[in-house]
Amino acid sequence: MALEPQAVLDALTVVKDPDLHRDIVSLGFIKDLTIDGGRVAFTIELTTPACPVKEQMRDQSHAAVMRLPGVTQVDVTMGARVREAAFGDGPRQPIPGVKNIIAVGAGKGGVGKTTVSVNLAIALAKFGSKVGMIDGDVYGPNVPMMLGLKTQLITDGQKIIPAERYGLQVISMGFLTGDDAPIIWRGPMLHGVIQQFFREVKWLDLDYLIIDMPPGTGDVALSLSQTVPVAGAIVVTTPQEVSLADSRRAVAMYKKLNIPPLGVVENMSYFECRHCGEKADIFGRGGGERMALELGVPFLGAIPIYQPIREGGDSGVPIVVGEPESPPARAFMAVAEQAAAQLSIASYSRPTIPLTVVR
């Protein structure tokens, strides 16, 4: 008896996405199913190329189909198509060429927010996603330095063309000003430039647009929430109590602005001596994870203190590029996987946070 496609699909229902808690058939992940005698081939199209369990799902799918009578070979191809996790409504219209906008913020300065933003963006790109960055910290635009970019904005006659580096499409206030020029602007001017960065830049087919936010809770976050559909926010903290107190305010701000918190990243988590291997908790231990648990938001991961992270930021060669196999680089890659997983979950259900009118 010839093997029927439905038998293959039935067998694959035992494979479940651990984040979405549904089987890969009902989720619509199975594509291009073909049967040629005893040979079965299909593609599993995930919701992100940064899926942390894609090898596990591939192996489970292969084993499930191989158990069917008459099957002699199973070819599983892994693919991905990133879904939108937020939907435009009212004045918050989608940005052409962008699927998901992710804000990376912090309750206070000095916690390494831009370092996390840059390495997170590159990590997502290394997994195969199309990624862009907006340097939204208009008072201290450091993204160009950390990416080794020295350029000026150019246009195609209609829109601004983003700079490109390490697979990222990048726009920054730093492209408009000199290195030492202060930016002394009031709220309406900030709103205008943020809108220009969204609406007047030629973004090309981005899965994720990372926004490096200014520290604190101010005008840029408000402009963001009112005008574009933001898929979620990542809050960067250190284990130090002062940082944690401000980070709680940042999480509360994003919730109030109807921007779902995707999770917390604990930066400068600990220092490990490269000579003796001893770990030192310079800023405390585990505060970011405890805060995430307390606030009911995911903990995305911890990044250690590591001198080459700072050196890479100063030289324009971020750690995930300069030392991709180092423990800190792998930690950034793991954070990217977890953030992508949270967006995949969000893409299957609209945020349920009640709409708050901010005046």
Side-chain angles (χ1 to χ4, degrees), residues 259-325:
I259 298 175
L262 295 177
V264 172
V265 176
E266 184 180 273
N267 194 31
M268 307 183 202
S269 184
Y270 60 87
F271 171 76
E272 183 174 349
C273 177
R274 284 191 283 180
H275 302 292
C276 67
E278 183 177 346
K279 291 183 178 180
D281 300 312
I282 295 174
F283 293 109
R285 174 182 293 183
E289 188 168 8
R290 287 194 301 272
M291 184 190 75
L293 181 63
E294 169 195 326
L295 298 178
V297 300
F299 181 66
L300 302 180
I303 310 298
I305 298 172
Y306 185 58
Q307 184 173 330
I309 295 178
R310 190 271 303 164
E311 293 171 345
D314 289 347
S315 65
V317 185
I319 191 71
V320 294
V321 175
E323 294 187 18
E325 298 304 317

